[in-house]
Amino acid sequence: MRRTAEFDAFGPWIDEVHTTSELPRLYRDAGVDPAASRLVLKVPRAIERRDANPDMHLYDFLIAVGASELTVLRRRDDWYERARLPFAQITAIEDSVSLLDGRLTVHTADGAATLISYNALDPAPITMLTRLLRKLYLPWRAGIPAAPVTPAPLDLGGGDMGLVTAYRQVLAAEPGMRLISAARRAAVGRGNRVSRLLRPVTLHASILLADDREIQLLHRRDRLVQGRDKPHSIARTVVPRAGIAGFRVRPHDTHPQVTIVTICSADAALDFPTHSGADTDALLALLSTA
């Protein structure tokens, strides 16, 4: 088998690109200049190395953070499609991991949602990307840095310790964040006792945080689910408060214990299923001050 530098370097990890020679060959005519970019990442295909060969295009995404916008190039067979996302148009960022299945979704004011799938074996590059985008889509306010805080004790039950750990990690990295509310998972299904036992409907636990710049929600990737499968995912949705244009509230179509709160930003709308009552009221009170 012939050898190429791209094939030799191929693996499940996301690599940072510093020079044009490190660009995957599929994207070399796209006009991305790593030297002129704040950050460039190449995201490999979700295949085993033993199934790869030097004649294949081995990277599904090229991500470039420029001066005023995020560019995402996505492989489509032997070509690629391009998405340009101006920083000022970003209305939410959701990053979720379920075992090794990572998904980063960037929502924009035109209602589009750009999905980047990645191997969560090494999530550090995606974490670096999201931190950079959050610095760029909203100016940081000058002032005295927030003092570290001791996380308020949370008890969401033994099955949701992963969410509590994520909450502690957020406060350790971002001491300005404050806990607004936390809701345990709850059965919300209707029907007879047998159907509720065999195919229960669950609204999963969530934790709401905020500071003067952003609202953050820690949750499961699938928040309202049917069945008894144990959730393995951890998701984090970040919404810049300055981009919130309004919100809507409606009861869930079939589950009266669930209220859908929709955050509106220009032509974008993001639905958050909440536990009717105190959980919903806490989010609405927060949105009213955005």
Side-chain angles (χ1 to χ4, degrees):
M1 183 183 295
R2 73 184 184 89
R3 304 284 293 275
T4 66
E6 182 172 318
F7 176 70
D8 288 345
F10 177 74
W13 44 84
I14 300 170
D15 285 328
E16 188 171 351
V17 178
H18 300 95
T19 66
T20 54
S21 64
E22 296 173 344
L23 290 170
R25 60 187 174 88
L26 176 64
Y27 306 112
R28 285 182 184 165
D29 67 347
V32 173
D33 181 4
S37 302
R38 301 173 191 262
L39 177 68
V40 178
L41 299 174
K42 53 184 180 183
V43 181
R45 293 176 64 166
I47 59 174
E48 298 289 342
R49 181 173 173 81
R50 63 176 176 268
D51 297 325
N53 67 69
D55 296 318
M56 299 170 64
H57 293 301
L58 296 174
Y59 290 87
D60 274 345
F61 296 92
L62 186 73
I63 306 165
V65 181
S68 61
E69 65 182 16
L70 169 69
T71 298
V72 179
L73 306 179
R74 180 177 183 177
R75 184 183 65 86
R76 292 297 190 188
D77 295 324
D78 291 333
W79 192 239
Y80 58 85
E81 60 185 18
R82 184 192 305 260
R84 287 191 172 96
L85 316 178
F87 302 143
Q89 295 297 305
I90 295 176
T91 57
I93 299 173
E94 179 179 337
D95 186 25
S96 68
V97 171
S98 181
L99 301 178
L100 293 180
D101 175 18
R103 302 179 192 177
L104 177 70
T105 305
V106 182
H107 299 266
T108 44
D110 58 0
T114 300
L115 172 65
I116 300 167
S117 54
Y118 65 94
N119 188 320
L121 178 68
D122 177 17
I126 295 298
T127 299
M128 177 170 57
L129 172 63
T130 56
R131 285 176 178 169
L132 179 57
L133 291 177
R134 291 173 59 201
K135 288 180 180 178
L136 295 170
Y137 69 39
L138 204 64
W140 292 100
R141 297 183 182 180
I144 301 173
V149 298
T150 301
L154 281 184
D155 181 10
L156 297 180
D160 286 308
M161 282 302 300
L163 284 177
V164 175
T165 299
Y167 154 70
R168 292 171 178 164
Q169 291 171 340
V170 170
L171 286 194
E174 304 175 38
M177 282 287 162
R178 293 294 183 267
L179 174 65
I180 304 301
S181 67
R184 284 188 171 218
R185 73 174 72 177
V188 296
R190 303 179 72 175
N192 60 44
R193 182 173 179 272
V194 174
S195 65
R196 292 198 303 270
L197 286 173
L198 294 177
R199 296 291 291 171
V201 177
T202 301
L203 179 59
H204 278 290
S206 62
I207 302 172
L208 181 64
L209 306 167
D211 63 7
D212 63 344
R213 297 179 72 252
E214 296 166 316
I215 294 171
Q216 295 195 40
L217 189 72
L218 304 177
H219 55 94
R220 303 296 187 178
R221 176 181 289 168
D222 299 312
R223 285 170 277 185
L224 188 63
V225 299
Q226 184 173 39
R228 294 187 175 277
D229 291 342
K230 181 180 179 181
H232 296 286
S233 63
I234 297 290
R236 180 185 186 188
T237 299
V238 184
V239 179
R241 298 180 72 163
I244 297 174
F247 58 90
R248 300 191 297 267
V249 185
R250 63 178 174 84
H252 191 275
D253 294 338
T254 57
H255 305 305
Q257 307 98 318
V258 179
T259 299
I260 307 298
V261 178
T262 302
I263 298 179
C264 305
S265 303
D267 292 328
L270 203 59
D271 288 343
F272 291 88
T274 63
H275 298 78
S276 300
D279 186 35
T280 301
D281 293 344
L283 179 55
L284 294 181
L286 188 60
L287 292 173
S288 298
T289 63

